[in-house]
Amino acid sequence: FPLDELKKLYFFESKRWDLVTKENQIVKLPIKNYEKVLQNFINLKDQINFRKYKTFDYRINDQIILK
């Protein structure tokens, strides 16, 4: 993940991370397989259909919840 696009990182006791991008998009990562999730987010974040979403929640396996 390009570090220059990050604004903040949050680490939780459950050993999970949340990322906040410079565009204030929040990415809620799962505990495992986060590499695949990050690649998916990179592919989606700039698409017109996904720009309106501020939260990308990947914590549930094989699902994405958009807010």
Side-chain angles (χ1 to χ4, degrees):
F1 192 86
L3 296 178
D4 61 336
E5 292 185 26
L6 288 179
K7 184 176 179 179
K8 295 180 184 178
L9 293 165
Y10 295 101
F11 182 72
F12 298 94
E13 287 184 24
S14 64
K15 299 184 181 176
R16 193 187 66 71
W17 290 90
D18 280 0
L19 311 177
V20 180
T21 67
K22 289 187 178 176
E23 282 139 30
N24 290 318
Q25 293 172 312
I26 300 168
V27 183
K28 296 179 175 279
L29 297 174
I31 295 172
K32 297 179 182 178
N33 300 322
Y34 55 85
E35 298 94 351
K36 181 172 68 170
V37 165
L38 288 172
Q39 187 61 47
N40 179 265
F41 175 72
I42 290 169
N43 292 334
L44 292 179
K45 71 180 178 74
D46 292 327
Q47 293 181 15
I48 291 175
N49 297 338
F50 291 95
R51 287 186 192 162
K52 64 182 177 183
Y53 297 109
K54 291 295 177 187
T55 303
F56 295 76
D57 189 343
Y58 289 94
R59 293 176 293 176
I60 299 174
N61 195 23
D62 295 327
Q63 290 186 20
I64 181 174
I65 298 170
L66 303 169
K67 297 179 187 173

